[in-house]
C-alpha cells in the first residue's frame, strides 16, 4: 500500500514535469515535452490535463492517431474537458469521420460556451466546426445535385419518348402535341430548379445576423431593449467601450444579457437547410 506522503511526492513531481513540459512546448521542443508529460502520466495517470497536454504535442506533430488515443483517455477521466473533445474532433476529421468529428466539436463548443463564452477557444472551435459542417454540406450537396440531374434527365427522356409516340397521331394533333410537350418540359425544369434552390449560395437574412459584426449568429443574446447581439461581441463592447447598449444607448450590464434561444433555433434551422452559410470568409 502506498503511503499518503509518497502519493503527495509523486503528485508534486508530476506537476513539476508538467511545468517542464510546458516550457519545452513553448520552445517547440515537442519531443522533450512529450517525454515530460509521459513521465507525469506514469506518476499520476488520473490527471486529465497531462493527457490533453501530450495530445496537443502530438497534434503539433500531426500524429493524429496518438491525439485520438490521449483525448479519449482524457475524456474518460473528465468528460467536461473542452480541449479533449476539441482535439478528438479534429483527429476524427483527419480520419474523414466527419459526422463523429462534428459531434465532438459541437460538444467542445457547448462546454466551452458554458465555461468561458468569451474565451479564444470558443471562437477557434466554432471556426473548425463551421468548416467541418460546410464539408458535410458540400458532400451532401454534390450527391443531391447528381441525383437531381439524373432524375431530370430521366424525366426529360420519358417526355421525349411520349412526344415521339404522340407524333404518330394523325396530322391534326401534331401542333397541339408539340405545344403540350414544350409546356411539360418547362414545368419540369421549374420543378427541378426549385428543388435545387436550397443548395445555391445566397445572402443570409439580416434578422439572423449580428447588428455589429453583420455575421450570422453563433451564440445570440438579447438585451432588455430587445436587441440581439453575438455574445462575445457585446461582452467585448461592454468591457472596452462602455456599459451601454450600442444600438439603443440604454445602460446595459453583462448580467442583463439573456440567451436568445428562439434566434438560436432559427439560425440552426436555416443552417440545416442552407449549409453553404457555414462557409467562413
Amino acid at each position: 500500500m502506498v503511503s499518503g506522503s509518497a502519493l503527495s511526492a509523486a503528485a508534486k513531481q508530476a506537476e513539476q514535469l508538467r511545468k517542464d513540459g510546458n516550457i519545452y512546448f513553448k520552445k517547440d521542443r515537442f519531443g522533450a515535452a512529450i517525454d515530460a508529460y509521459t513521465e507525469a502520466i506514469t506518476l499520476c495517470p488520473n490527471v486529465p490535463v497531462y493527457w490533453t497536454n501530450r495530445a496537443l504535442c502530438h497534434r503539433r506533430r500531426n500524429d493524429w492517431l496518438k491525439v485520438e488515443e490521449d483525448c479519449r483517455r482524457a475524456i474518460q477521466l473528465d468528460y467536461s474537458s473542452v480541449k479533449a473533445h476539441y482535439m478528438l474532433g479534429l483527429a476524427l476529421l483527419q480520419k474523414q469521420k466527419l459526422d463523429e468529428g462534428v459531434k465532438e466539436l459541437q460538444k467542445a463548443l457547448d462546454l466551452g460556451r458554458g465555461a468561458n463564452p468569451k474565451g479564444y477557444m470558443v471562437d477557434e472551435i466554432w471556426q473548425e466546426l463551421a468548416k467541418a459542417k460546410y464539408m458535410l454540406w458540400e458532400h451532401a450537396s454534390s450527391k443531391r445535385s447528381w441525383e437531381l440531374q439524373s432524375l431530370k434527365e430521366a424525366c426529360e427522356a420519358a417526355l421525349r419518348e411520349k412526344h415521339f409516340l404522340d407524333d404518330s397521331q394523325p396530322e391534326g394533333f401534331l401542333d397541339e402535341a408539340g405545344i403540350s410537350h414544350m409546356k411539360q418540359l418547362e414545368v419540369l425544369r421549374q420543378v427541378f430548379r426549385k428543388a435545387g434552390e436550397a443548395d445555391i449560395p445566397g445572402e443570409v437574412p439580416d434578422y439572423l445576423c449580428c447588428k455589429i459584426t453583420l455575421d450570422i449568429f453563433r451564440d445570440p443574446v438579447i438585451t432588455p431593449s430587445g436587441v440581439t447581439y453575438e455574445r462575445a461581441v457585446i461582452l467585448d463592447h461592454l468591457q472596452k467601450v462602455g456599459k451601454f447598449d450600442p444600438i439603443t444607448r440604454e445602460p446595459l450590464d453583462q448580467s442583463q444579457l439573456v440567451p436568445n434561444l428562439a434566434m438560436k433555433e432559427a439560425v440552426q434551422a436555416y443552417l440545416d437547410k442552407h449549409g453553404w452559410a457555414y462557409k467562413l470568409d
Side-chain angles (χ1 to χ4, degrees):
M1 184 175 180
V2 182
S3 67
S5 59
L7 287 173
S8 178
K12 287 180 180 178
Q13 187 180 351
E15 188 59 17
Q16 183 57 52
L17 285 163
R18 181 190 68 81
K19 292 177 181 178
D20 293 343
N22 291 353
I23 292 171
Y24 292 137
F25 181 85
K26 289 177 182 178
K27 294 181 178 180
D28 292 339
R29 294 179 59 189
F30 303 125
I34 288 171
D35 290 341
Y37 296 137
T38 299
E39 287 187 58
I41 288 169
T42 301
L43 290 168
C44 297
N46 294 326
V47 180
V49 69
Y50 299 160
W51 295 90
T52 52
N53 281 9
R54 191 171 72 172
L56 185 55
C57 293
H58 293 315
R59 178 189 172 189
R60 289 296 186 89
R61 286 181 153 189
N62 290 318
D63 192 341
W64 294 103
L65 180 59
K66 289 182 179 177
V67 171
E68 180 181 354
E69 291 172 351
D70 280 359
C71 287
R72 289 193 184 281
R73 178 58 179 152
I75 290 169
Q76 287 177 347
L77 295 170
D78 179 13
Y79 190 72
S80 63
S81 172
V82 176
K83 287 184 178 179
H85 284 288
Y86 174 44
M87 288 189 287
L88 176 57
L90 295 179
L92 291 169
L93 292 179
Q94 290 293 321
K95 295 171 67 176
Q96 296 302 308
K97 293 185 176 181
L98 297 183
D99 289 316
E100 293 178 48
V102 163
K103 183 179 178 182
E104 291 298 329
L105 290 177
Q106 186 65 61
K107 182 65 179 177
L109 184 63
D110 293 341
L111 289 169
R113 282 174 172 166
N116 184 11
K118 195 181 169 186
Y120 79 93
M121 275 201 70
V122 170
D123 186 63
E124 183 180 326
I125 294 167
W126 193 92
Q127 290 189 41
E128 292 294 341
L129 178 61
K131 285 192 287 186
K133 287 198 171 185
Y134 182 78
M135 286 172 62
L136 280 175
W137 170 80
E138 267 193 321
H139 291 172
S141 176
S142 295
K143 183 181 179 182
R144 282 193 299 269
S145 178
W146 182 84
E147 290 174 344
L148 281 174
Q149 183 61 28
S150 298
L151 183 57
K152 177 173 173 286
E153 290 173 359
C155 291
E156 287 176 340
L159 282 177
R160 282 195 296 271
E161 183 177 351
K162 181 177 181 295
H163 181 60
F164 174 77
L165 293 174
D166 288 344
D167 280 351
S168 63
Q169 297 292 327
E171 186 174 336
F173 293 93
L174 291 181
D175 290 342
E176 184 179 340
I179 293 171
S180 175
H181 175 66
M182 294 302 294
K183 286 182 178 180
Q184 288 173 338
L185 278 176
E186 181 55 32
V187 170
L188 180 69
R189 287 163 185 159
Q190 288 178 6
V191 168
F192 279 97
R193 274 198 298 270
K194 187 70 175 176
E197 279 182 0
D199 283 335
I200 299 174
E203 290 188 6
V204 178
D206 289 342
Y207 75 93
L208 296 178
C209 299
C210 176
K211 295 184 182 299
I212 298 176
T213 66
L214 304 181
D215 292 329
I216 192 166
F217 284 115
R218 307 176 188 179
D219 188 14
V221 292
I222 191 168
T223 69
S225 303
V227 183
T228 298
Y229 298 101
E230 181 62 35
R231 182 191 295 274
V233 173
I234 190 64
L235 288 176
D236 189 62
H237 167 85
L238 293 175
Q239 181 182 351
K240 296 180 180 179
V241 181
K243 293 191 174 184
F244 60 90
D245 187 314
I247 300 295
T248 67
R249 317 301 286 185
E250 293 289 328
L252 179 64
D253 186 77
Q254 177 178 336
S255 63
Q256 296 175 287
L257 300 175
V258 177
N260 191 334
L261 300 180
M263 179 62 72
K264 192 172 184 178
E265 288 181 6
V267 168
Q268 192 56 57
Y270 185 84
L271 288 170
D272 288 343
K273 189 175 180 181
H274 306 87
W276 50 262
Y278 276 113
K279 189 172 185 179
L280 302 171
D281 294 331

